[in-house]
């Protein structure tokens, strides 16, 4: 047993770890935390987690039922109605106040049940892709959830790891950490064991690493000191938390909110003052004006969006696509350009070592031995190239003859990996360097010939480059391998990566995935263009593009891109087919350049160097096997490396967008017409066309079928191409169908006043029923661009619409009728209302056919983006 159980509850609470722990020796901290390099026991780790809580400053607050319910009452309209209900009670209208309060509560509870259910469903999906960390437990390294890490844990980190907790470094090798998320420092900083000054700031604590930062290169073993809400990141999260760029969908919702707010303010102010000028009671006029505003507002929009997105996320999860950020679903549906690396996405990702060749291109067993030593003994960033060397069928068992001395891990600047070994029974060390051919060649001064190393001359260099180009053009991924012998008394540093002897080539083959050409063609049919961004050389990329049917005429290399100005890149990015030999820091530039040309850009990547581009893209897409930093930067996680899965996710995203727009179309077209009609009618009638409580009840009942919008079927034409927010389109749609609705509203008014000679109560009851059933009927019309009988709605939408219709018709005789001042209607009036509703349906169908005939719909992406910018 590594720890004394009697100390289990006092180790964390009583140790003064907050007193500049970075200034104390690591051994002292390990003693205070009662741990060793062997790590904690599983039992002790569970006890500590129970004592200090999960290692997450968000999980503790999480999505709680109380928080979600409270959020429903933050709406200004809800607060105004609550105030209005209170005012009614004060002036003696207690009955009115109770009814308004009951309807407000019912609406908020309805929204709460939908939103909370959606949030819990999404949380369940996110657990599928929970982040892991390599931790020492019970003397062995195991993988545990990052949320289960506790103070005293010993964690192993390598390139690509997200640092899970504030920690002190125990051991490190070429360890560079990106702390930009915490300190704003652009470049990675070197970290090493030691002691920092007591007063050192975050950036100056070279012996510490912090939650929210990531490992850029090298390896380290660290001791966890603080977790969860006690970390530096949590303490200043509100200030430094990296902001997620506003998505196109969020921008559209925001602009739609501005539009509705402008209309509501105009209606409330005009109607209130007009009714006061007509000497109507202040409270009645105020309540009527506010009720009109509420009636116009799609107040269930947040809940409808949450439910629709959550349903879309569940559907996508079944297809192998897990959503980390819900609003990314809408952007996935809007995506018209996908940038992707080639390895594992366009190719099989199962790389085979196809040859170990000497400088002359002949098979070399010695090159194979050196390559296997390099790949097997390195402990840095894991990659499929090393795995293919280790798992090669003809690999020799050379490890028994050599002992590892040291290594210089791979990084994306050098693009090399060096291991120093010593052959047993000798006193000489051997450096084995493997990496990109050009990067290895630049530190070589000689080549390995039959009689030993001889200097590189122009002819030899040209031969090496010619072989590299030929093999690359045949689709091989080619690495160079070089060696250097050193005396045993030499210390191994990066400065020793020079004067190497180029020994040969390693050829890897990663063939295109079966059916990739057909998969890419299906994405093209969906209106999505593909651009390849890769660090591989131009010849390999062009060969792959040719084999899978991608355009390859326009190619930009990383070297060319480095010389381009920002505006120059913006000008040529859209016309470029392949971005090759790209450095990691150039990927984000490419994404931003494509976005500047009006594209909704998706980026698919899984490496450390992909994180900035994943964050910058409209939709960051990664895979479940990606490094931590890439998974955390992504919005969408593919459980399989399969673009076919992504295509199905795009379809689900477009269905989600289509159903969200249905709700907006339905509410704006019907509500706008009805509310405008009532506002105008209130100026000419000797009584209010509807009482405030009747308007609120109408609005509540008309929202019930909207709960089924997320389940509705979507026509194929709505998912064929990317769709984008277009506020101008929403405005035209609202005005066009609102005017049609208003025309039939006034037809109803005329029928009730001049034909039926209705009293105030009869008029209000009849108008309540007619406005409600027309709102229900319009659901079936505007949910599709086809004739409504040619598009089948979901069963739930049909049943909820039919059930609400029956309630509307039966309202005058239901028990609550008297509470709302409703009275039974004569059959002739009911027949007249049904006739007017039928005419309204016919007129709306004809208007829809005219509206979508072509000239009235803005469908270009540039126009759509201009409308919401």
């Amino acid at each position: 047993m590594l720890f004394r159980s009697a100390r289990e509850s006092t180790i964390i609470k009583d140790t003064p770890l907050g007193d500049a722990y970075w200034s104390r020796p690591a051994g002292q901290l390990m003693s205070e935390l009662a741990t060793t390099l062997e790590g904690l026991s599983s039992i002790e780790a569970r006890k500590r987690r129970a004592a200090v809580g999960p290692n997450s400053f968000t999980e503790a607050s999480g999505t709680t039922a109380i928080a979600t319910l409270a959020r429903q009452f933050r709406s200004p309209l809800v607060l105004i109605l609550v105030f209005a209900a209170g005012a009614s009670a004060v002036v003696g209208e207690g009955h009115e106040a109770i009814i308004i309060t009951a309807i407000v509560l019912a609406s908020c509870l309805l929204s709460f049940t939908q939103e909370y259910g959606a949030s819990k469903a999404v949380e369940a999906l996110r657990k599928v892709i929970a982040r892991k960390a390599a931790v020492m437990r019970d003397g062995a390294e195991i993988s545990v959830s990052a949320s289960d890490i506790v103070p005293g844990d010993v964690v192993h980190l390598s390139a690509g790891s997200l640092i899970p907790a504030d920690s002190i470094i125990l051991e490190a090798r070429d360890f560079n950490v990106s702390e930009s998320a915490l300190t704003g420092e652009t470049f990675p900083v070197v970290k090493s064991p030691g002691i920092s000054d007591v007063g050192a700031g975050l950036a100056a604590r070279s012996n510490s690493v912090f939650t929210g930062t990531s490992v850029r290169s090298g390896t380290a073993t660290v001791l966890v000191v603080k977790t969860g809400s006690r970390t530096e990141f949590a303490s200043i999260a509100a200030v430094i938390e990296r902001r997620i760029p506003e998505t196109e969908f969020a921008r559209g919702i925001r602009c739609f909110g501005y539009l509705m707010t402008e209309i509501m303010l105009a209606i409330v102010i005009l109607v209130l003052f007009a009714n006061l000028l007509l000497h109507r009671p202040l409270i009645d006029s105020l309540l009527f004006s506010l009720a009109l505003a509420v009636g116009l507002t799609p107040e269930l929009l947040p809940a409808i969006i949450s439910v629709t997105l959550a349903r879309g996320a569940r559907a996508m999860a079944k297809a192998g696509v897990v959503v980390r950020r819900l609003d990314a679903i809408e952007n996935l549906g809007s995506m018209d350009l996908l940038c992707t690396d080639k390895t594992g996405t366009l190719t099989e990702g199962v790389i085979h070592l196809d040859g170990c060749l000497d400088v002359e291109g002949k098979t070399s067993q010695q090159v194979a031995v050196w390559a296997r030593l390099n790949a097997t003994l390195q402990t840095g960033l894991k990659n499929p190239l090393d795995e293919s060397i280790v798992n090669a069928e003809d690999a020799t068992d050379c490890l028994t003859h050599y002992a590892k001395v040291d290594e210089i891990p791979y990084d994306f600047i050098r693009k090399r990996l060096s291991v120093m070994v010593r052959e047993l029974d000798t006193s000489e060390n051997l450096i084995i360097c493997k990496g990109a051919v050009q990067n290895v060649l630049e530190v070589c001064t000689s080549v390995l010939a039959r009689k030993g190393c001889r200097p590189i001359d122009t002819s030899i260099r040209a031969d090496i480059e010619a072989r590299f180009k030929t093999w690359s053009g045949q689709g091989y991924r080619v690495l160079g391998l070089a060696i250097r012998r050193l005396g045993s008394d030499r210390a191994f540093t990066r400065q020793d990566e020079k004067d190497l002897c180029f020994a040969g080539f390693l050829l890897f083959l990663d063939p295109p995935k079966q059916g990739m050409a057909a998969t890419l063609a299906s994405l093209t049919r969906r209106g999505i263009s593909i651009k390849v961004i890769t660090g591989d050389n131009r010849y390999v990329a062009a060969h792959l593009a040719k084999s899978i049917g991608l355009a390859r005429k326009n190619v930009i290399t990383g070297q060319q891109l480095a010389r381009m100005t920002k505006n120059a890149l913006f000008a040529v990015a859209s016309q470029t087919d392949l971005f090759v030999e790209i450095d990691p820091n150039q990927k984000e530039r490419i994404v931003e350049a494509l976005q500047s040309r009006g594209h909704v850009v998706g980026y698919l990547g899984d490496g450390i160097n992909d994180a900035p581009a994943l964050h910058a893209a409209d939709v960051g897409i990664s895979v479940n096997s990606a490094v931590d930093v890439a998974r955390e930067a992504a919005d969408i996680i593919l459980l399989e490396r399969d673009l076919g899965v992504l295509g199905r996710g795009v379809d689900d995203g477009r269905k989600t967008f289509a159903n969200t727009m249905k709700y907006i179309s339905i509410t704006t077209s019907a509500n706008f017409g009805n509310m405008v009609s009532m506002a105008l009618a209130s100026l000419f009638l000797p009584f209010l066309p509807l009482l405030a409580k009747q308007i609120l009840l109408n609005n509540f009942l008309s929202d019930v079928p909207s709960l089924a919008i997320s389940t509705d079927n979507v026509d194929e034409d709505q998912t064929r191409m990317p769709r984008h927010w277009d506020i101008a389109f929403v405005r035209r749609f609202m005005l066009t169908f609102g005017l049609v609705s208003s025309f039939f509203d006034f037809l109803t008014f005329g029928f009730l006043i001049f034909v039926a000679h209705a009293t105030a109560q009869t008029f209000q009851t009849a108008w309540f029923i007619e406005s409600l059933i027309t709102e229900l009927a319009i659901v079936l019309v505007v949910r599709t661009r086809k004739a409504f009988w040619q598009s089948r709605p979901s069963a739930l939408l049909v049943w909820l619409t039919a059930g609400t219709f029956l309630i509307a018709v039966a309202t005058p005789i239901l028990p609550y009728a008297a509470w709302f001042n409703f009275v039974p209607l004569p059959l002739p009036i009911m027949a007249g209302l049904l006739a007017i509703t039928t005419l309204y349906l016919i007129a709306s169908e004809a208007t829809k056919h005219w509206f979508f005939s072509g000239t009235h719909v803005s469908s270009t992406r540039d126009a759509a983006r201009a409308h919401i910018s």
Side-chain angles (χ1 to χ4, degrees):
M1 188 72 176
L2 292 173
F3 313 103
R4 296 190 297 273
S5 59
R7 301 179 61 191
E8 67 175 70
S9 62
T10 60
I11 288 172
I12 307 303
K13 295 181 180 178
D14 297 340
T15 302
L17 293 176
D19 299 333
Y21 60 85
W22 56 88
S23 66
R24 304 209 295 280
Q28 180 183 340
L29 288 173
M30 294 188 76
S31 177
E32 292 172 355
L33 288 166
T35 188
T36 70
L37 287 174
E38 298 292 310
L40 300 172
S41 68
S42 299
I43 295 174
E44 179 66 17
R46 285 195 295 270
K47 291 178 180 177
R48 295 190 183 193
R49 191 186 190 283
V52 302
N55 178 35
S56 169
F57 60 87
T58 57
E59 187 175 333
S61 55
T63 301
T64 65
I66 294 176
T68 305
L69 180 61
R71 196 159 52 242
Q72 311 309 315
F73 292 92
R74 292 181 189 172
S75 167
L77 288 173
V78 170
L79 295 176
I80 289 172
L81 284 176
V82 171
F83 170 78
S88 297
V90 169
V91 298
E93 296 288 342
H95 182 72
E96 191 94 358
I98 292 172
I99 292 176
I100 292 175
T101 302
I103 294 177
V104 169
L105 287 174
S107 295
C108 289
L109 289 173
L110 190 65
S111 182
F112 159 74
T113 56
Q114 298 298 306
E115 187 173 339
Y116 184 67
S119 66
K120 300 307 289 184
V122 172
E123 283 182 18
L125 290 177
R126 285 176 179 164
K127 291 180 181 178
V128 176
I129 53 170
R131 184 156 54 94
K132 303 289 185 180
V135 179
M136 294 296 295
R137 292 275 172 86
D138 300 314
E141 180 182 307
I142 63 171
S143 178
V144 302
S145 171
S147 64
D148 291 332
I149 290 176
V150 296
D153 266 327
V154 174
V155 179
H156 293 162
L157 301 171
S158 59
S161 298
L162 273 176
I163 292 167
D166 290 3
S167 310
I168 289 294
I169 297 173
L170 302 176
E171 300 173 0
R173 177 67 178 175
D174 293 311
F175 192 55
N176 290 271
V177 176
S178 175
E179 294 186 329
S180 59
L182 192 65
T183 66
E185 173 59 46
T186 304
F187 299 100
V189 294
V190 179
K191 298 284 187 175
S192 59
I195 296 176
S196 297
D197 292 338
V198 174
L202 290 179
R205 299 176 196 170
S206 60
N207 66 331
S208 306
V209 290
F210 308 102
T211 301
T213 61
S214 60
V215 182
R216 184 68 178 177
S217 63
T219 58
T221 300
V222 300
L223 170 67
V224 174
V225 178
K226 291 183 177 293
T227 59
S229 60
R230 302 166 189 82
T231 62
E232 297 289 350
F233 192 89
S235 65
I236 55 175
V239 180
I240 54 79
E241 186 174 12
R242 192 175 187 186
R243 291 183 178 274
I244 297 174
E246 186 178 41
T247 64
E248 186 193 41
F249 181 74
R251 191 161 55 249
I253 290 292
R254 173 170 55 80
C255 293
F256 175 70
Y258 292 159
L259 173 65
M260 300 308 293
T261 300
E262 292 170 1
I263 296 172
M264 282 189 301
L265 286 174
I267 288 179
V268 169
I269 294 172
L270 289 175
V271 172
L272 176 60
F273 279 98
N275 277 272
L276 290 177
L277 290 175
L278 293 173
H279 305 291
R280 288 174 178 165
L282 172 62
I283 293 298
D284 287 349
S285 299
L286 177 63
L287 289 176
F288 178 73
S289 302
L290 293 177
L292 282 180
V294 174
L296 178 63
T297 307
E299 72 277 3
L300 279 187
L301 182 59
I304 295 297
I305 290 176
S306 296
V307 173
T308 305
L309 292 179
R311 183 178 176 84
R314 288 194 294 269
M316 292 167 69
K318 292 178 182 178
V321 182
V322 178
V323 180
R324 293 188 67 250
R325 190 160 58 92
L326 276 185
D327 53 1
I329 294 177
E330 307 283 358
N331 271 12
L332 184 62
S334 302
M335 179 178 69
D336 61 4
L337 196 155
L338 175 66
C339 298
T340 177
D341 193 4
K342 67 177 195 61
T343 304
T345 304
L346 305 178
T347 64
E348 291 289 350
V350 181
I351 299 176
H352 307 282
L353 177 62
D354 206 60
C356 299
L357 312 177
D358 61 18
V359 176
E360 296 178 354
K362 298 178 181 177
T363 300
S364 170
Q365 187 61 38
Q366 185 61 68
V367 170
V369 170
W370 288 332
R372 183 166 172 78
L373 284 169
N374 178 285
T376 305
L377 297 177
Q378 73 96 12
T379 59
L381 181 66
K382 294 180 174 62
N383 68 83
L385 296 177
D386 286 329
E387 291 176 1
S388 68
I389 295 172
V390 173
N391 298 325
E393 293 182 3
D394 57 348
T396 57
D397 185 12
C398 54
L399 299 182
T400 57
H401 305 292
Y402 292 87
K404 178 181 176 181
V405 177
D406 211 341
E407 72 175 298
I408 302 178
Y410 179 89
D411 65 58
F412 292 97
I413 305 301
R414 293 164 39 250
K415 294 186 177 180
R416 298 186 297 266
L417 162 64
S418 294
V419 173
M420 177 182 279
V421 298
R422 180 182 301 163
E423 190 170 4
L424 300 183
D425 302 325
T426 68
S427 60
E428 190 176 50
N429 293 331
L430 177 68
I431 296 176
I432 306 172
C433 178
K434 176 179 95 272
V437 172
Q438 294 297 334
N439 296 69
V440 171
L441 199 57
E442 70 184 16
V443 292
C444 291
T445 56
S446 59
V447 296
L448 186 62
R450 294 180 182 179
K451 297 182 179 180
C453 293
R454 64 189 180 95
I456 292 179
D457 57 27
T458 305
S459 175
I460 292 175
R461 187 176 294 273
D463 287 343
I464 290 174
E465 291 177 349
R467 289 191 175 92
F468 167 70
K469 181 177 179 179
T470 299
W471 288 324
S472 296
Q474 295 170 355
Y476 286 102
R477 173 83 176 271
V478 185
L479 296 186
L481 187 138
I483 61 169
R484 181 185 177 189
R485 300 186 186 277
L486 293 175
S488 60
D489 58 342
R490 291 287 303 276
F492 187 39
T493 66
R494 290 198 179 199
Q495 283 65 43
D496 291 311
E497 252 187 5
K498 65 178 182 179
D499 300 328
L500 302 184
C501 179
F502 193 85
F505 305 91
L506 304 174
L507 272 59
F508 301 87
L509 194 59
D510 185 14
K513 283 186 176 178
Q514 287 286 85
M516 180 51 62
T519 299
L520 294 178
S522 71
L523 289 175
T524 301
R525 287 193 298 271
R526 291 178 170 93
I528 301 173
S529 302
I530 310 293
K531 294 188 184 296
V532 177
I533 304 178
T534 179
D536 278 356
N537 67 75
R538 69 197 77 181
Y539 312 111
V540 172
H543 179 274
L544 175 67
K546 179 181 178 181
S547 65
I548 58 178
L550 283 179
R552 61 192 186 282
K553 181 178 179 181
N554 299 316
V555 180
I556 288 181
T557 66
Q559 190 174 17
Q560 292 171 328
L561 194 152
R563 296 194 297 267
M564 287 184 179
T565 65
K566 184 177 181 179
N567 290 335
L569 179 59
F570 284 5
V572 302
S574 290
Q575 285 73 45
T576 302
D577 303 314
L578 305 176
F579 296 89
V580 298
E581 301 166 24
I582 296 298
D583 289 335
N585 59 350
Q586 294 176 326
K587 296 184 177 183
E588 186 175 13
R589 283 188 64 195
I590 295 169
V591 169
E592 291 173 346
L594 293 168
Q595 289 172 321
S596 74
R597 308 306 295 177
H599 293 288
V600 177
V601 180
Y603 183 88
L604 176 57
D606 63 355
I608 309 167
N609 53 327
D610 292 314
L614 285 166
H615 185 82
D618 295 287
V619 191
I621 308 163
S622 193
V623 294
N624 203 28
S625 57
V627 297
D628 290 345
V629 68
R631 280 162 37 105
E632 289 297 308
D635 307 305
I636 304 286
I637 302 294
L638 305 183
L639 299 183
E640 305 173 29
R641 286 178 172 269
D642 185 357
L643 285 184
V645 169
L646 182 61
R648 293 190 290 274
V650 168
D651 290 341
D652 288 327
R654 291 179 182 177
K655 290 176 182 178
T656 302
F657 182 86
N659 280 335
T660 303
M661 293 307 297
K662 282 179 189 178
Y663 175 73
I664 291 174
S665 299
I666 290 165
T667 53
T668 54
S669 59
N671 290 4
F672 177 75
N674 286 343
M675 297 307 115
V676 170
S677 300
M678 279 192 283
L680 293 175
S682 68
L683 304 180
F684 302 103
L685 293 174
F687 49 82
L688 292 175
L690 280 182
L691 301 178
K693 57 189 175 184
Q694 294 170 339
I695 296 175
L696 295 176
L697 179 63
N698 181 297
N699 198 47
F700 174 73
L701 291 176
S702 65
D703 273 336
V704 171
S706 298
L707 300 177
I709 288 292
S710 65
T711 71
D712 194 24
N713 302 318
V714 177
D715 297 334
E716 185 179 349
D717 64 313
Q718 298 296 295
T719 62
R720 191 172 296 127
M721 299 295 288
R723 295 183 62 195
H724 306 271
W725 263 97
D726 186 348
I727 292 299
F729 168 82
V730 174
R731 187 184 298 113
R732 287 195 305 273
F733 192 96
M734 180 174 66
L735 291 174
T736 301
F737 286 88
L739 289 174
V740 173
S741 176
S742 292
F743 173 81
F744 283 91
D745 290 340
F746 286 110
L747 183 62
T748 304
F749 296 161
F751 166 73
L752 293 174
I753 296 295
F754 300 111
V755 177
H757 305 291
T759 63
Q761 280 189 302
T762 301
F763 182 98
Q764 290 165 350
T765 304
W767 169 229
F768 173 89
I769 294 173
E770 199 275 342
S771 63
L772 181 54
I773 61 177
T774 54
E775 286 188 65
L776 297 173
I778 201 67
V779 170
L780 302 178
V781 175
V782 302
R783 59 166 294 278
T784 176
R785 295 189 178 190
K786 299 178 180 179
F788 74 86
W789 58 86
Q790 294 178 336
S791 177
R792 183 172 58 86
S794 69
L796 183 59
L797 180 60
V798 171
W799 282 110
L800 285 180
T801 301
T804 308
F805 176 85
L806 293 177
I807 292 174
V809 174
T811 287
I813 59 174
L814 291 177
Y816 63 78
W819 303 348
F820 290 90
N821 287 21
F822 291 139
V823 295
L825 295 178
L827 286 179
I829 290 182
M830 288 297 298
L833 295 179
L834 292 176
I836 292 173
T837 301
T838 302
L839 292 174
Y840 171 65
L841 276 177
I842 296 172
S844 296
E845 184 65 36
T847 303
K848 181 180 70 176
H849 178 74
W850 168 81
F851 186 84
F852 290 114
S853 60
T855 58
H856 308 282
V857 182
S858 172
S859 59
T860 64
R861 175 171 51 258
D862 292 340
R865 294 180 74 90
H867 290 317
I868 62 176
S869 61

